[in-house]
Amino acid sequence: MEAARQEDTWDVIIVGAGPVGLLIANYLGGQGLRVAVLERMRELIDYPRGVGMDDECLRSFQAVGLAEAVLPHTTPLHWLRFVTGRGRTLAALEPGTDEFGWSRRNGFIQPLVDRVLFDGLARYPGVSVHFGHEVEAVQQDENGVAITTQADGVRHRFSARYAVGCDGGRSTVRKALGIPFEGKTEPNRWIVVDLNNDPLATPHAWVYCKPSRPYVSIALPHGVRRFEFMLFDKEAEGDTVPEPILRAMLAEAGCDPDRVDIIRARVYTHSGRLAARFRDRRILLAGDAAHIMPVWQGQGYNSGIRDATNLSWKLALVLKGIAGDSLLDSYEDERRAHANAMIGLSVMAGKVLSITNPAAAALRDAFFLMLNIIPPVKRYIVGMRFKPMPRYRHGALVYPNGVDMNSPVGTLFIQPRVAPAPAEEPVLLDEVLGDSFAILCWGIDPSYWMSEQTRTLWKKLDARLISVWPATQLGYQLAREGPGVQPVADVSGRLKAWFDRHGRGVVFLRPDRFIAALCGPQQIDATTQALRAALKLDEGGRP
């Protein structure tokens, strides 16, 4: 084989054109950076994989201008119910909150959403996707990364300043770096069956906790139905299930097996694994390359999108020379612990809900049915309050007096609707915040409290200054607000309630909409300097 052809040099190489890699490429492309996406397959995967999308995920798509294009392939308010073999409800996840601007639970068709993300890259001339490229070698030094691929018998060499491995649970990049993938794979296997022309035509998602055979039934957009059945010993021959067994399972789920339109039937196992580290010098891992988890909480896909959202803005700051390379260490600091918590929740849920011993299943059913008659516990489960929300204790943020678990710092900020002008329709808050940093204040002009040095720093970071007012005051404030400050009306009262609850009137928001710091107006300068250090801005050169 001939020597590797040297391709262009890029800012970032992304290995893997799944949703995580495509989202990172969209964000970096929007920042004017040059990105090469390398994908082993010759085209995007065209069959459903992930089926559950949460509100944080939709907010991430909103950040790259693609949420509205994704929505036609989603079912909002998509509840999940766990029932006994006799049909009694053990637990129902029916959250009605929209605190982050979107429905908390959504069904979706992943190939169609992936296509939206892929098509979104056409907006950016600096982003290029290379299909059919199998990674052969990964090298790095203090100056950058080189990845050698093979495509149609020809070797290619791609060079970049950084690389991100988003190439799945069997990640070639992770293996090349020698990073352990810690955890285990459950011994039992399952078969996932996707059908067109839904033969049941009922909404929502159901987990049938039947000891005779636990299974899942999920209604998806566009008339697709997903079943997932537990397999017992010797039922699967390799990765296939004999037709009589598959027909019997579909019949048990209420289908006429002679009249179903099967998209695919695939055997898989449940695994809970976590990479020992998410960063190796100039190469980072994200999505399934960094962590995989059982499907029970529907968080594998969403956890990968959280990775992409957390990492993208940090990479952009480093590549633009605004922040120092050490900012990238905060990616693992912030994401690994939460991914581990989601793995733990998913593994535990799987063990409880897939019990096949009839006596143990009866005890489980009795326990959960008892919980359902306790109103506070039922509200806790219905509202999904058990779900570990990302909460960053260390990283690119500032606690004024050490980590304070009563502070909102390190959590995702709410996204209510606001009105940017009296006669305009309210919009989601992020539409006003933009795609960089933002300083959001209740009832003040933040620029009044800023020194020239502080004002200059935030201007170089392209931060937006937003003042929030009651709707009755908006017209008056528009006429008197300082230059560079955008007044908005709190039309729902949610922002007023938020600032009242936390007792500070100034919140510093990162590009991923996590709270970087919270202070009063007279502490804006001091908090800015603390954030300057936390964001490694003095190491970047430009500010």
Side-chain angles (χ1 to χ4, degrees), residues 47-77:
Y47 55 80
R49 290 169 292 161
V51 294
M53 178 186 296
D54 65 18
D55 47 356
E56 298 170 63
C57 181
L58 272 170
R59 194 173 185 180
S60 293
F61 294 156
Q62 178 190 358
V64 295
L66 296 176
E68 293 299 326
V70 164
L71 285 179
H73 309 304
T74 69
T75 300
L77 303 175

Side-chain angles (χ1 to χ4, degrees), residues 17 26 37 50 79 112 120 133 171 199 239 267 270 274 298 335 349 371 393 406 456 491 498 510 529 532:
N26 270 281
V37 181
W79 306 148
L112 296 177
H133 279 254
S171 171
D239 289 335
V267 175
H270 288 163
L274 183 69
R335 282 298 308 137
L371 292 181
R393 296 172 176 82
N406 294 315
T456 299
V491 295
W498 190 95
R510 308 186 326 185
Q529 292 310 308
R532 182 179 189 136

Side-chain angles (χ1 to χ4, degrees), residues 18 24 118 137 200 252 315:
I24 295 173
F118 175 75
L200 300 185
E252 183 180 357
L315 262 176

Side-chain angles (χ1 to χ4, degrees), residues 254-309:
C255 302
D256 179 349
D258 294 325
R259 302 179 63 195
V260 292
D261 181 4
I262 297 178
I263 301 171
R264 69 154 184 169
R266 182 182 180 187
V267 175
Y268 70 99
T269 55
H270 288 163
S271 298
R273 294 184 180 273
L274 183 69
R277 58 187 186 277
F278 286 12
R279 183 185 185 192
D280 186 319
R281 293 174 289 167
R282 289 182 170 267
I283 304 176
L284 303 107
L285 302 176
D288 286 355
H291 45 74
I292 54 176
M293 60 195 69
V295 301
W296 298 102
Q297 295 299 317
Q299 285 299 308
Y301 182 95
N302 297 290
S303 293
I305 296 299
R306 292 187 193 101
D307 292 346
T309 306

Side-chain angles (χ1 to χ4, degrees), residues 321-343:
I322 295 173
D325 172 88
S326 60
L327 175 63
L328 298 178
D329 291 335
S330 68
Y331 166 61
E332 180 176 319
D333 291 341
E334 294 178 354
R335 282 298 308 137
R336 191 172 183 275
H338 183 257
N340 192 37
M342 292 307 308
I343 291 171

Side-chain angles (χ1 to χ4, degrees), residues 342-419:
M342 292 307 308
I343 291 171
L345 176 64
S346 299
V347 169
M348 179 187 69
K351 290 182 181 299
V352 171
L353 300 169
S354 59
I355 293 172
T356 55
N357 180 285
L363 287 174
R364 174 205 59 203
D365 294 353
F367 175 73
F368 277 95
L369 291 171
M370 179 188 68
L371 292 181
N372 277 331
I373 66 175
I374 305 174
V377 175
K378 187 171 183 177
R379 288 194 298 269
Y380 181 81
I381 295 173
V382 167
M384 287 183 64
R385 298 178 197 172
F386 57 86
K387 172 188 169 185
M389 293 298 295
R391 173 65 190 255
Y392 304 146
R393 296 172 176 82
H394 308 283
L397 43 84
V398 169
Y399 289 97
N401 300 303
V403 176
D404 178 1
M405 298 305 292
N406 294 315
S407 168
V409 170
T411 64
L412 189 60
F413 194 65
I414 61 174
Q415 189 187 194
R417 291 188 177 272
V418 297

